[in-house]
């Protein structure tokens, strides 16, 4: 799947500039295009972030300004540490690595602004080691910076794995080289890396900050069609002409995103929005839906990491969902019972249903277990996995029923019909 190919379109801010051809924008070109990083007093910077309403783009959608203020307003707890989270362990999402591979200086600008605003003396650039183009671009960009900035910036090649990007796993890794979420997570704004106040911020969130510092909150809010403003990076995958990463105005309807991606190449049936922790919806219910956190939330859906994965009518939703569950079960850090055993049971049962070998109680058990594991882990891993599974059960209800009765796969029988 070509998810690392950027899909170019007009509303670009983060991805504006030279062609997205796999080459990183050099520092000279970056500053010629955008001007040098401005000096913004801390109080003003935080007020601007609050005025934008910018939410974190790593998945949880927490307001960025509030996170910065929590550290800023509690001096005396130690010199803060900034972590730019570029782990992107979500298998079908490519937005962070495309951003870093092409616009590394935007991410670094945002991280330096965080350091200056909060008085940090260390910036950890925590990058998924498997995203080699992004790592290479970020390392190269650090080398181009002034010596004083280079002393602050540290590239960390993060281990592969879904939970390695979870914020307490990130801090744990930086403290002890063990990328497992912490069982009793500390309050990061007080005690994180080296027991110091720590800001963990997704790399796209930081790149947005770099533009807000230059152009202000009103400019940021000028883009957007719904309550959540600005632009956002999304990854579109499935039966469209150009799978890949696009920058959209938040609130752009799914139909328009599909058009940007060159239109459909199949007959869509359902869509998974927000990543492997996300929510499935029937395509007709979301076709005109504004892609932004608030509107999606009102419909019981999630924006998450901005993944939009469409499946067509010839793709087995039961099999797709079971494979995701299998992946998430294998990605558990195996330290909380409900996550370790519950996700494994869900993966096995959904695998049996997908493979036409269901036990009589499997379907009932899957429904029951998704409720049982929710909220029962130290981190949100089981909650996300259960959310994906329970929405799949609803959206692919006929398919699950047909599989569970060991009758037939509705999608596979359609393939037959097309022959
Ligand atoms: C299992 C799990 C995996 C996560 N992986 C990532 C990741 O790869 N990148 C990321 O930015 N956030 C990830 N997050 C979210 C982080 O915990 C955290 O909320 C985020 O980095 C904060 O940045 P933001 O506020 O800018 O979104 C993950 C969360 C969970 C529960
Ligand atoms: S819920 Fe799962 S992934 Fe999260 S800390 Fe517990 S075992 Fe690890």
């Amino acid at each position: 799947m070509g998810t690392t190919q950027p899909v170019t379109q007009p509303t670009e801010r983060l991805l504006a500039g030279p062609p997205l051809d796999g080459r990183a924008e050099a520092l000279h070109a970056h500053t010629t295009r955008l001007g040098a990083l401005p000096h913004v007093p801390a109080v003003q910077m935080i007020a601007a972030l609050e005025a934008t309403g910018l939410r974190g783009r790593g998945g949880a959608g927490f307001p960025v300004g509030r996170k910065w203020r929590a550290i800023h307003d509690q001096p005396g707890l130690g010199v803060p540490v900034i972590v730019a989270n570029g782990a992107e362990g979500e298998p079908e999402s490519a937005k962070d690595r495309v951003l870093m591979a092409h616009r590394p200086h935007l991410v670094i600008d945002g991280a330096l602004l965080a350091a200056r605003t909060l008085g940090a003396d260390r910036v950890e650039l925590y990058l998924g080691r498997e995203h080699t183009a992004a790592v290479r671009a970020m390392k190269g960009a650090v080398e181009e910076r002034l010596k004083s900035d280079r002393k602050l910036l540290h590239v960390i090649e993060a281990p592969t794995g879904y939970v390695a990007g979870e914020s307490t796993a990130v801090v744990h890794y930086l403290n002890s080289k063990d990328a497992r979420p912490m069982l009793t997570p500390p309050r990061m704004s007080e005690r994180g890396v080296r027991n110091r106040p720590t800001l963990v911020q997704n790399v796209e969130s930081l790149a947005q900050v770099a533009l807000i510092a230059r152009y202000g909150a009103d400019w940021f809010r000028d883009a957007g069609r719904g309550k959540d403003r600005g632009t956002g990076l999304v990854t579109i995958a499935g039966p469209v002409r150009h799978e890949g990463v696009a920058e959209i105005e938040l609130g752009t309807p799914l139909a328009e995103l599909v058009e940007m991606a060159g239109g459909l190449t199949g007959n869509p049936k359902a869509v998974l929005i927000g990543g492997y922790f996300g929510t499935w919806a029937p395509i007709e219910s979301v076709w005109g839906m504004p892609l932004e956190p608030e509107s999606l939330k009102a419909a019981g859906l999630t924006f998450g990491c901005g993944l939009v994965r469409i499946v067509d009518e010839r793709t087995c939703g039961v099999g797709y969902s079971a494979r995701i569950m299998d992946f998430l079960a294998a990605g558990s850090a195996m330290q909380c019972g409900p996550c370790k055993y519950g996700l494994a049971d869900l993966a096995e049962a959904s695998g049996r249903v997908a493979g036409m070998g269901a036990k009589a109680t499997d379907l009932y058990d899957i429904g029951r277990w998704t409720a049982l594991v929710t909220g029962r882990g130290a981190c949100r891993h089981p909650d996300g996995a259960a959310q994906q599974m329970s929405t799949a059960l609803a959206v692919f209800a006929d398919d699950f029923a047909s599989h569970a009765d060991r009758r037939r796969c509705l999608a596979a029988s359609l393939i037959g019909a097309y022959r």
Side-chain angles (χ1 to χ4, degrees), residues 56-58 67 85 87-89 162 165-167 200-202 205 277:
R57 300 293 166 78
K67 218 155 151 179
N85 191 352
E88 197 165 53
Y162 202 77
E166 192 273 337
S167 59
V200 180
Q201 203 84 76
N202 170 260
S205 313
F277 277 2

Side-chain angles (χ1 to χ4, degrees), residues 291-414:
L291 293 172
E292 56 101 17
E294 284 288 329
S295 307
L296 290 168
K297 193 172 162 204
L301 306 172
T302 51
F303 186 75
C305 67
L307 172 70
V308 176
R309 145 56 68 184
I310 299 172
V311 294
D312 66 19
E313 59 182 0
R314 287 184 282 175
T315 302
C316 176
V318 180
Y320 212 99
S321 168
R323 281 195 298 279
I324 293 178
M325 184 49 77
D326 198 46
F327 173 86
L328 294 176
S332 164
M334 307 288 178
Q335 18 182 36
C336 312
C339 182
K340 179 177 176 180
Y341 301 111
L343 298 196
D345 287 348
L346 278 164
E348 269 179 37
S350 57
R352 278 194 298 272
V353 177
M356 301 292 175
K359 290 193 207 162
T361 56
D362 274 345
L363 210 48
Y364 171 74
D365 284 341
I366 293 172
R368 204 164 53 90
W369 293 337
T370 53
L372 278 177
V373 298
T374 302
R376 301 278 308 284
C379 79
R380 289 201 59 252
H381 191 66
D383 308 26
Q387 177 167 262
Q388 183 277 136
M389 192 80 243
S390 60
T391 53
L393 278 180
V395 170
F396 302 112
D398 293 345
D399 306 72
F400 269 98
S402 184
H403 271 255
D405 292 349
R406 302 187 186 198
R407 276 183 284 145
R408 63 190 181 116
C409 171
L410 301 180
S413 58
L414 267 182

